[in-house]
Amino acid sequence: MKTFIDQLGTSHTFETTPKRIVSLVPSLTELLFDLGLEEQIVGITKFCVHPFHFKSTKKIIGGTKNVHVEKIRLLQPDIIIANKEENTQEIVAELAKICPVWVTNIITLEDNNKMIAEFGQLFNKRTEAQKWIDKIQFAQRDFEYFIQGQPSYKAAYFIWANPYMVAGGDTFINEMLRLNNFVNIYENNPNLTGRYPEVEIKKIRLQGDPDLVLLSSEPFPFKDEHAFELGRFTHHAKTFFVDGEMFSWYGSRLVKAFAYFKKLHQKLA
């Protein structure tokens, strides 16, 4: 009998190492695979696109915010992996009637590495977890050395249109922006509420006048028309379509993210 505490401080007790895993978080599905847990993963969401073959080998149990509870129940999981931001409290409470729901909460790189280490303990994959932490920390140090010679830019990171929504402070995206020497103009705006506030693009110059407008590839499919519309209200800001996975996915994805960020800065030069 072992007891573990998740990132919301909830205590979970297991008689044996969990063998049947349902993941409600796309980035953590990828991490679980990279930790060598493919055989233990029995259910994923429709947004769990990595690794690619999972869509044909694993049971799809709905989306991140509209899961099919009965499908999950039939899978007889030992543990369900969720995230504070991705999944609602109502979903977590309902699924906790089936089995323990392990809720992650990732804002910083330290949170991410702590989570990977906890997965190593929880699933008896300590060696594999440490290897991934080492890879991430090496890539981070290398990128931090690279970024020292790069200029700083004021940035606005858009995640949605109709209405327009941006990444604010207290988000993992904001952490990634900071690492890139991008100053998020919406990080500490007292007139906006929530981690992903709605914004009036007509006020973008008054609210920070960004040098860069970053349009994420997910969750909204931004097009050229959005770039043109936003460009009309900025003062010569450069607009870039960016890979949302690189800015918002945690877990093992970070190793690829740092390499992606280097290429992005080369485009900015």
Side-chain angles (χ1 to χ4, degrees), residues 18-26 28-29 32 37 40-45 48 58-63 67-69 71-83 87 91 95 98-102 119 123:
K19 291 292 190 294
R20 296 179 64 79
I21 306 167
V22 168
S23 174
L24 308 183
V25 190
L28 299 187
T29 298
L32 292 166
L37 292 162
Q40 288 90 327
I41 300 169
V42 295
I44 62 174
T45 76
C48 295
K58 303 299 178 183
K59 184 71 174 179
I60 306 298
I61 51 76
V67 302
H68 295 288
V69 176
K71 286 184 179 180
I72 294 175
R73 193 189 315 278
L74 291 172
L75 290 172
Q76 298 182 307
D78 300 318
I79 189 170
I80 297 167
I81 303 297
N83 177 262
N87 315 114
I91 287 174
L95 294 179
I98 299 174
C99 72
V101 181
W102 186 275
F119 276 17
F123 298 112

Side-chain angles (χ1 to χ4, degrees), residues 51-156:
F52 180 76
H53 67 276
F54 268 22
K55 71 174 187 177
S56 58
T57 61
K58 303 299 178 183
K59 184 71 174 179
I60 306 298
I61 51 76
T64 55
K65 293 180 171 58
N66 58 342
V67 302
H68 295 288
V69 176
E70 194 54 35
K71 286 184 179 180
I72 294 175
R73 193 189 315 278
L74 291 172
L75 290 172
Q76 298 182 307
D78 300 318
I79 189 170
I80 297 167
I81 303 297
N83 177 262
K84 180 182 177 181
E85 186 172 280
E86 295 264 7
N87 315 114
T88 66
Q89 286 183 312
E90 292 75 17
I91 287 174
V92 170
E94 183 66 24
L95 294 179
K97 299 173 185 177
I98 299 174
C99 72
V101 181
W102 186 275
V103 183
T104 58
N105 183 30
I106 315 294
I107 303 297
T108 67
L109 288 168
E110 290 76 17
D111 294 336
N112 184 70
N113 292 339
K114 182 174 183 290
M115 182 238 345
I116 295 174
E118 289 171 347
F119 276 17
Q121 296 173 1
L122 183 60
F123 298 112
N124 198 23
K125 293 287 185 179
R126 292 174 182 80
T127 301
E128 292 83 350
Q130 189 58 52
K131 285 180 180 178
W132 277 103
I133 293 170
D134 291 344
K135 286 180 182 179
I136 291 168
Q137 290 180 332
F138 177 83
Q140 179 185 348
R141 287 193 297 269
D142 176 67
F143 181 72
E144 287 174 343
Y145 178 78
F146 164 85
I147 204 68
Q148 287 177 7
Q150 305 300 318
S152 177
Y153 297 95
K154 292 187 296 180

